[in-house]
Amino acid sequence: MKINISLPDGSQRTYDQGITAYDVARDISEGLARVVIASEVDGEVWDLHRPIEKDVELKLLKFDDEGGKYAFWHSSAHLLAEALEALYPGIKLGIGPPIENGFYYDIDFGDHQFSSNEFDKVEKKMIELAREDNRFIRKEISKSDAISYFKEKGDPYKLELIDGLDDGSITFYEQGNFVDLCRGPHIPSTSHIKAVKLLNVAAAYWRGDEKNKSLTRIYGISFPKANLLKDYLHMLEEAKKRDHRKLGKELELFTFSEKVGAGLPLWLPKGTAIRERLERFMRQAQVERGYEQVITPHIGKKELYVTSGHYDKYGEDSFQPIKTPNEDEEFLLKPMNCPHHCEVYKFKPKSYRELPLRLAEFGTVYRYEQSGELNGLTRVRGFTQDDAHIFCTPDQIKDEFVAVVDLVMHVFQKLGFEDFTAQISLRDPDNKEKYIGSDENWEKAERAIIEATAERDMKTVTEYGEAAFYGPKLDFMVKDALGRAWQLGTIQVDYNLPDRFELEYIGADNEKHRPVMIHRAPFGSMERFIGILIEHTAGNFPLWLSPEQIAILPISEKYHDYAQGLLKYLNNYDIRGLVDERSEKIGRKIRDAEVKKIPLMLIVGEQEAENEEVSVRVHGQGDVGKYKKEAFVEFFKSLLNKN
């Protein structure tokens, strides 16, 4: 029987039933067959040698593909388990999945205390086994046979997993003498794994339940080429240097206090200066685009968040209600700004002529993240959003969406985020009942997002079924200087809150209508954005954003008065900085200013004081010459314009 295979380029090939993705790759070219490691069949990642029995859409995956990495690191987890069983007979295996970067395996070592000192011998064993070129073989197995196998082997964790599986859905994978309970997929053989590095060891409760036994979780990463591992380890070292928690302390930007509470950052003067400049930049951009600023309280009555639905989402696992002297009256720390903005909208009746209404607020919200999930500024319990909500008619969605996209592009360009992808999240067309709103409104909103991104010639991916239940959305995935992906900025179309809050406007037909609500926050959380920005720039902020743009370095105490007068002069031109009056040698002052990542150093001595000049050094570059103080202002402005 013949089947049709559709390929990503739109072509179609006909083969005998039972053909494998590897056979298709080899039919296309021998070179392609050598580099593919997995396949994607109708959107699902498969083994390369798994038979295809019906018409499908097929994508051949290399290591560079997301699905290729998934299969590669999944197979590497099995290789780790095989190496550990060889080195530590009698261990019990938990689970070993691939993760975003690499893989891990949970192991019960019994009485042995495994440590990172043993990484080297495990890595060597993994490479030794990889070179045996053992195929990953998929086998369907009955539940009774699976139970018998792991009972004989003595693997209680596998038996527990099998207990929750249906007969007929169980598969084993084997490579060499190693067998594991697994759904797959995997790469063709162990020989593809050329480089391995174990990265960390930690404790992890079995199945994430603290009532269960604590197992040893070993994290690792692997690559098909040694140079890829070398590049990755170099990136990790760079990431350590750029860690915003480390730089935040060194550059005196923010701190945390146990007495204040975990996840509640304290902004120091220099960090506050950065934050305020970002806010000023965004406020100005919003004024130019017709936004109106509002301010709402940090708390609200519980009923407000019950109405909005946020109490159901955040109430149980968040900060508990605040009780007042009045019986049965409860308030909550606000988890989102949007319910408050809905009430601002309702202040007075609206006509269609008053729409769109764009309300903006730098509003602080609170969510009780679990302590284990807190991470510097990128995961906190109290954070400020550059929040705005646009209330508009369905016909205005596209224009408003285009305008918001332009604002996000403006932010990315100003702050040096050049590599990004926009994810268009749409309804599942086969399961429309789980979404609210009419088909007509959904079609308008989805078309608006697609057309807005097309008009701006943006790199996009489309995901069906990823829309929120209340509307489609656009998420911006940005790569930083180290190639790490972050979600920065989301634009969401919402039919839900206008309905819950019974928002209305009088249309041209003199009838009442529901507005559509667009949520947008280009920065997202100010805390998280600044944390990411610190790591992206390694603390070398753009000149306009730097908390201290200049450091005036007098050669000796005799020139302190000139330095202070110079600083006052430059302050008149909104040039911010400090005078280093320490009794240190000028070389030490320059080195310290470099460490503090101050963009410009102005060295002043006898000649500079007499001629009202400055000798200028640029951070990371060195000396750029002498300037009259008036000429330095122009030089500074030219640098500022480049930012």
Side-chain angles (χ1 to χ4, degrees):
M1 180 178 172
K2 298 293 185 181
I3 59 172
N4 295 317
I5 305 290
S6 300
L7 299 171
D9 64 0
S11 65
Q12 193 175 84
R13 294 175 178 240
T14 302
Y15 296 100
D16 290 332
Q17 190 178 36
I19 190 85
T20 69
Y22 176 77
D23 295 328
V24 176
R26 193 169 56 181
D27 186 46
I28 295 171
S29 81
E30 288 292 338
L32 178 62
R34 284 193 292 271
V35 296
V36 294
I37 58 174
S39 63
E40 189 176 287
V41 177
D42 287 341
E44 182 183 351
V45 182
W46 276 30
D47 302 334
L48 206 56
H49 291 283
R50 185 173 170 181
I52 301 171
E53 306 291 348
K54 62 183 181 68
D55 294 352
V56 298
E57 292 184 358
L58 175 68
K59 182 178 179 183
L60 298 167
L61 302 176
K62 303 175 185 177
F63 179 77
D64 290 341
D65 296 302
E66 185 178 340
K69 285 186 173 72
Y70 181 92
F72 193 93
W73 287 332
H74 196 174
S75 301
S76 300
H78 281 225
L79 188 65
L80 169 61
E82 182 183 9
L84 290 169
E85 281 198 334
L87 293 170
Y88 305 91
I91 62 172
K92 312 300 181 188
L93 303 182
I95 59 170
I99 53 178
E100 184 178 0
N101 284 300
F103 55 90
Y104 70 77
Y105 217 112
D106 288 343
I107 308 290
D108 184 346
F109 280 95
D111 295 331
H112 178 68
Q113 296 293 316
F114 184 85
S115 75
S116 58
N117 295 330
E118 300 163 82
F119 282 178
D120 187 54
K121 72 175 181 179
V122 178
E123 291 164 1
K124 288 178 180 176
K125 187 64 177 178
M126 290 177 71
I127 293 300
E128 176 190 320
L129 292 169
R131 288 172 179 161
E132 291 180 3
D133 190 21
N134 291 315
R135 284 188 61 189
F136 286 91
I137 301 170
R138 180 179 187 270
K139 292 184 177 180
E140 296 181 358
I141 189 165
S142 69
K143 189 166 185 173
S144 60
D145 286 346
I147 291 170
S148 295
Y149 177 84
F150 283 110
K151 271 188 177 178
E152 184 177 344
K153 188 183 176 196
D155 254 335
Y157 304 105
K158 298 297 182 183
L159 288 169
E160 185 178 326
L161 293 172
I162 292 169
D163 187 53
L165 299 177
D166 295 328
D167 204 355
S169 67
I170 300 172
T171 53
F172 279 4
Y173 273 83
E174 65 178 53
Q175 81 262 14
N177 295 319
F178 179 76
V179 178
D180 205 352
L181 172 71
C182 183
R183 289 179 299 187
H186 288 282
I187 59 178
S189 89
T190 59
S191 64
H192 290 273
I193 302 169
K194 305 290 188 186
V196 171
K197 185 68 178 176
L198 300 184
L199 301 171
N200 191 23
V201 59
Y205 291 112
W206 169 237
R207 307 190 88 169
D209 189 338
E210 61 184 16
K211 295 176 183 177
N212 291 334
K213 185 170 182 179
S214 179
L215 305 182
T216 300
R217 178 169 293 180
I218 302 172
Y219 290 91
I221 198 162
S222 58
F223 294 92
K225 294 180 181 178
N227 67 306
L228 293 176
L229 174 60
K230 182 180 177 182
D231 291 345
Y232 180 78
L233 294 177
H234 175 71
M235 186 274 288
L236 286 185
E237 287 303 311
E238 283 298 307
K240 287 179 184 176
K241 295 176 189 175
R242 292 168 176 259
D243 190 317
H244 76 278
R245 295 165 297 182
K246 172 177 174 287
L247 289 174
K249 184 176 181 180
E250 292 174 359
L251 301 178
E252 299 179 3
L253 302 178
F254 62 89
T255 188
F256 290 89
S257 162
E258 287 187 12
K259 289 184 178 179
V260 173
L264 299 170
L266 300 171
W267 290 92
L268 303 176
K270 293 177 185 177
T272 300
I274 292 173
R275 180 170 165 151
E276 287 182 343
R277 275 161 213 143
L278 283 171
E279 287 193 14
R280 197 180 312 149
F281 160 70
M282 182 58 73
R283 286 180 198 277
Q284 182 59 39
Q286 290 177 163
V287 166
E288 293 169 0
R289 290 161 174 80
Y291 287 83
E292 298 178 83
Q293 203 73 23
V294 297
I295 298 174
T296 63
H298 289 248
I299 64 174
K301 290 183 72 173
K302 177 181 172 182
E303 288 75 16
L304 175 70
Y305 308 113
V306 170
T307 300
S308 70
H310 290 105
Y311 183 74
D312 287 340
K313 183 172 182 180
Y314 297 111
E316 193 171 309
D317 298 320
S318 197
F319 290 97
Q320 294 305 295
I322 304 165
K323 295 187 181 294
T324 74
N326 292 332
E327 190 176 354
D328 297 329
E329 185 178 52
E330 292 182 328
F331 285 76
L332 293 177
L333 290 170
K334 75 174 170 184
M336 294 288 275
N337 298 301
C338 33
H340 296 252
H341 289 191
C342 288
E343 290 299 309
V344 171
Y345 178 92
K346 291 181 74 173
F347 166 66
K348 64 178 183 178
K350 299 288 188 296
S351 161
Y352 72 97
R353 294 186 181 89
E354 298 174 80
L355 302 183
L357 176 66
R358 309 178 188 96
L359 301 178
E361 176 180 17
F362 285 90
T364 303
V365 298
Y366 303 88
R367 299 175 197 165
Y368 192 81
E369 303 287 355
Q370 296 301 312
S371 58
E373 296 177 343
L374 298 176
N375 180 28
L377 293 180
T378 59
R379 199 70 179 266
V380 291
R381 288 173 173 164
F383 54 94
T384 301
Q385 296 176 306
D386 63 320
D387 224 346
H389 298 94
I390 302 167
F391 300 88
C392 62
T393 69
D395 291 335
Q396 293 170 332
I397 292 175
K398 180 188 171 183
D399 288 344
E400 291 305 306
F401 219 93
V402 169
V404 175
V405 167
D406 287 345
L407 175 59
V408 173
M409 296 301 97
H410 177 56
V411 170
F412 288 175
Q413 182 181 22
K414 186 72 173 176
L415 291 161
F417 291 106
E418 298 173 354
D419 187 357
F420 62 89
T421 300
Q423 177 178 305
I424 302 171
S425 298
L426 306 178
R427 272 193 309 182
D428 179 351
D430 299 322
N431 192 16
K432 293 182 180 179
E433 62 273 6
K434 70 177 184 178
Y435 305 95
I436 68 166
S438 68
D439 285 345
E440 180 186 4
N441 281 345
W442 270 89
E443 286 162 9
K444 281 184 180 179
E446 292 182 339
R447 188 166 60 250
I449 295 175
I450 293 166
E451 291 178 358
T453 54
E455 283 184 17
R456 294 301 177 260
D457 196 26
M458 294 170 64
K459 183 168 65 175
T460 63
V461 294
T462 300
E463 296 290 345
Y464 290 94
E466 292 299 314
F469 75 92
Y470 51 78
K473 60 180 181 171
L474 188 68
D475 295 323
F476 294 88
M477 305 303 297
V478 177
K479 285 190 176 180
D480 67 12
L482 295 180
R484 298 169 301 179
W486 303 88
Q487 183 182 328
L488 284 181
T490 298
I491 315 173
Q492 300 177 346
V493 178
D494 184 358
Y495 302 106
N496 179 47
L497 286 185
D499 198 46
R500 281 177 173 264
F501 281 91
E502 299 180 343
L503 305 185
E504 296 175 343
Y505 67 91
I506 303 300
D509 58 1
N510 212 33
E511 297 292 329
K512 292 180 179 179
H513 300 272
R514 286 266 187 268
V516 181
M517 194 172 175
I518 297 176
H519 304 246
R520 51 108 288 205
F523 290 148
S525 146
M526 296 295 292
E527 284 73 11
R528 184 171 179 273
F529 188 87
I530 292 172
I532 293 168
L533 185 63
I534 291 169
E535 298 195 6
H536 179 59
T537 63
N540 297 302
F541 299 108
L543 184 60
W544 69 273
L545 195 55
S546 294
E548 293 166 335
Q549 296 169 317
I550 61 168
I552 303 175
L553 312 179
I555 288 176
S556 72
E557 187 179 349
K558 289 190 293 183
Y559 309 108
H560 285 183
D561 288 346
Y562 173 65
Q564 290 292 350
L566 178 63
L567 181 61
K568 288 181 181 177
Y569 172 80
L570 296 176
N571 285 165
N572 292 329
Y573 296 92
D574 197 28
I575 300 174
R576 308 172 299 273
L578 58 90
V579 176
D580 187 345
E581 294 186 336
R582 296 176 302 159
S583 57
E584 299 283 356
K585 292 183 177 179
I586 192 65
R588 175 62 184 272
K589 290 183 178 183
I590 290 171
R591 285 195 300 275
D592 289 349
E594 288 279 354
V595 168
K596 291 178 180 177
K597 303 180 185 288
I598 298 174
L600 297 168
M601 288 150 270
L602 312 185
I603 299 164
V604 296
E606 182 178 3
Q607 192 175 33
E608 288 81 9
E610 286 180 359
N611 299 323
E612 293 196 328
E613 293 177 333
V614 291
S615 292
V616 181
R617 291 179 64 90
V618 175
H619 171 68
Q621 290 181 228
D623 181 49
V624 295
K626 288 190 177 183
Y627 291 83
K628 292 284 189 182
K629 63 181 185 180
E630 297 85 0
F632 173 75
V633 171
E634 295 307 311
F635 172 69
F636 181 91
K637 288 179 180 177
S638 70
L639 293 180
L640 207 56
N641 289 334
K642 291 178 183 177
N643 275 250

